[in-house]
Amino acid sequence: MMSKFRALGLTSGMSYTAGLLSIAASIAIWNSQKDKDGPHAERFGIFVGLWAPTFFAIGNGLDLAERQLRKL
């Protein structure tokens, strides 16, 4: 799977950045929508925040693949 991500041009740094951005987006969604529709904003903010571990895991896998390529 990591080879497919690498073929698409995805790097570990891009994946780590996406994870951090999903955390920031989660906080922004939660804070900006809290006054309008509190429960919905909380659920949507949590949903977006749950993407972060996936992006970090993909980044870790890509980082390991990148390190193996550098050793060759």
Side-chain angles (χ1 to χ4, degrees):
M1 186 61 134
M2 292 304 129
S3 60
K4 289 184 181 185
F5 285 137
R6 290 186 60 248
L8 292 172
L10 187 65
T11 65
S12 60
M14 295 164 99
S15 186
Y16 291 141
T17 301
L20 291 173
L21 288 174
S22 73
I23 293 170
S26 174
I27 294 168
I29 290 167
W30 188 69
N31 282 328
S32 68
Q33 300 295 320
K34 196 163 38 170
D35 296 334
K36 297 176 186 170
D37 187 14
H40 177 71
E42 286 181 10
R43 287 189 300 268
F44 188 56
I46 290 170
F47 172 71
V48 172
L50 288 173
W51 298 346
T54 303
F55 287 129
F56 290 140
I58 291 170
N60 190 36
L62 288 169
D63 187 41
L64 290 173
E66 291 165 3
R67 288 180 191 200
Q68 286 178 349
L69 282 176
R70 278 187 242 138
K71 287 183 180 179
L72 295 176

